[in-house]
Amino acid sequence: MKYDIKDLKLAKKGKLRIEWARQNMPVLDFIEERFRRQKPLKGLRLAACLHVTTETANLMRVLKTGGAEVYLCASNPLSTQDDVAASLVKDLKIPVFSIKGEDNKIYYQHIKAVLDAKPDITMDDGADLVSIIHKEGKLNPLGGTEETTTGVIRLRAMENDGVLKCPIIAVNDAETKHLFDNRYGTGQSTLDGIIRATNRLIAGLYVVVCGYGWCGKGVAMRSKGMGAKVIVVEVDPVRGLEANMDGFQVMTIADASKIGDIFISLTGDINVIRREHFAKMKNGAIVANSGHFNVELDIDGLKKISKNRRVIREFVEEYTLPNGRVICLLAEGRLINLAAAEGHPAQVMDMSFANQALSAEYIKNNYKKLENKVYKIPEDMDKNIARLKLKSLGIKIDTLTPQQKKYLASWQEGT
Ligand code: ADE
């Protein structure tokens, strides 16, 4: 299989939706303009394993405009927007290996298909490309980028074990990424996914948010805004305290499982909601995952304690427990914001993907100096993306006066 040729009728729909997203991606546009003139990625083969969305399509075009030969596969079996994949193949001639709803076997075949291109640079969302490259030991890319918290955690573990074989730029660590994409993007799109899947009113419900990182903070904030009574579950004492002083109830998952109406896990860890918690839930409780992998929910445990299950509407599977209560699992525990909705809106992906495009250029220019480590984005790059975003929004900020600069640089008291 070379690559999936999509239903070409879908491509027209995808093309228009990609254009719609582009209207809110001015920073990426600005980068594309320079890439068109300078072709900084010329001669590079770039393999991307990202959610195949309208926003990703805009990034793929920018990388191609910069001179890269681009190959794309999905970073989750349920997150592909097939019309977007079709348009990328037809209109931009970018090989795309993904289809919404692919099973695990096809998912990994598609990852291997982009690796057959022998990429110089990898662009991951969850570290699947890099981990397979390391398992197989056949390729030696110049470097890679990583989009998400879970991927950065995996890659730092590889670095700590001394097995990482190329430098990685942790896009997720850029302030212009996680403060906006993780917080406001996940906050809105997770609720969007839950609402599209269930059509439930959020107001008045107990929403249990497991994990109070940037993603959890966003979901808690937006759930509160929609009238939910929010309960936060944490393992980190500082975050637990932070959630408490942000005005949320904080308790263990064992206690929260008896109270919640909607459960959302976003921790990056495994088995956060386990069978003993499902067993205590109220009739009709809704359970969703918005962390990168569906391992956050003990779905096997839920299956084992259930006597029946049925899909009652798209993305909603009811599990009936022996006590007669029903638990509603959304989107097979996959990322709810991408499976049942469209992922984060373009306004935040603009900054995340500006970081991706500039990181690819940074690797090309600096790989000889870089060690096999996970690097933060250079601070000036991060600030520059924020400046461009502010400019596109027509927002002006102040600059320090020479006197203020001098004051901040001095250690003496007073003036
Ligand atoms: N991750 C979350 N939302 C996304 C989007 N819209 N596109 C690509 N990756 C995403």
Side-chain angles (χ1 to χ4, degrees), residues 220-241:
M221 175 170 53
R222 290 295 174 254
S223 301
K224 183 178 176 181
M226 294 193 76
K229 293 169 280 192
V230 178
I231 296 170
V232 171
V233 171
E234 247 304 336
V235 292
D236 180 278
V238 176
R239 286 182 176 175
L241 205 51

Side-chain angles (χ1 to χ4, degrees), residues 399-409:
T399 47
L400 294 171
T401 64
Q403 186 199 28
Q404 286 173 323
K405 265 194 199 159
K406 193 170 161 209
Y407 181 80
L408 289 179

Side-chain angles (χ1 to χ4, degrees), residues 180-196:
F180 304 94
D181 168 318
N182 300 28
R183 181 168 37 172
Y184 300 109
T186 309
Q188 178 167 315
S189 64
T190 297
L191 286 170
D192 184 14
I194 292 171
I195 292 166
R196 287 198 210 191

Side-chain angles (χ1 to χ4, degrees), residues 47-61:
C49 178
L50 299 172
H51 302 296
V52 182
T53 64
T54 52
E55 293 75 25
T56 297
N58 281 295
L59 171 63
M60 294 299 106
R61 191 195 58 252

Side-chain angles (χ1 to χ4, degrees), residues 137-331:
K138 288 191 273 191
L139 299 174
N140 241 331
L142 307 178
T145 66
E146 174 51 56
E147 170 79 7
T148 200
T149 317
T150 295
V152 172
I153 291 170
R154 284 177 92 186
L155 292 158
R156 289 225 160 91
M158 289 171 78
E159 179 188 336
N160 291 339
D161 284 352
V163 298
L164 189 63
K165 282 199 245 116
C166 64
I168 299 290
I169 308 294
V171 166
N172 185 68
D173 289 1
E175 292 195 333
T176 47
K177 200 279 183 181
H178 64 260
L179 292 180
F180 304 94
D181 168 318
N182 300 28
R183 181 168 37 172
Y184 300 109
T186 309
Q188 178 167 315
S189 64
T190 297
L191 286 170
D192 184 14
I194 292 171
I195 292 166
R196 287 198 210 191
T198 64
N199 196 27
R200 284 279 159 83
L201 185 78
I202 304 294
L205 298 185
Y206 279 103
V207 171
V208 178
V209 179
C210 302
Y212 203 63
W214 290 112
C215 295
K217 284 185 173 78
V219 171
M221 175 170 53
R222 290 295 174 254
S223 301
K224 183 178 176 181
M226 294 193 76
K229 293 169 280 192
V230 178
I231 296 170
V232 171
V233 171
E234 247 304 336
V235 292
D236 180 278
V238 176
R239 286 182 176 175
L241 205 51
E242 207 183 352
N244 172 255
M245 295 205 188
D246 284 345
F248 302 118
Q249 280 192 71
V250 179
M251 61 181 81
T252 62
I253 184 63
D255 289 337
S257 52
K258 291 176 261 176
I259 303 171
D261 296 296
I262 299 182
F263 294 80
I264 307 163
S265 183
L266 327 83
T267 67
D269 211 339
I270 193 168
N271 288 338
V272 177
I273 304 181
R274 298 181 286 278
R275 74 161 86 175
E276 63 268 29
H277 307 131
F278 290 119
K280 282 195 239 159
M281 286 180 188
K282 296 195 288 200
N283 186 34
I286 290 169
V287 183
N289 168 48
S290 209
H292 186 77
F293 290 117
N294 61 349
V295 296
E296 305 219 2
L297 310 175
D298 175 18
I299 299 171
D300 283 341
L302 177 59
K303 282 182 185 156
K304 278 191 193 121
I305 60 168
S306 299
K307 56 177 192 187
N308 244 323
R309 59 185 163 121
R310 62 169 182 168
V311 175
I312 187 160
R313 52 184 268 152
E314 199 184 7
F315 303 119
V316 185
E317 191 164 22
E318 284 184 343
Y319 287 75
T320 307
L321 307 185
N323 60 16
R325 289 188 206 146
V326 165
I327 310 293
C328 306
L329 176 68
L330 303 191

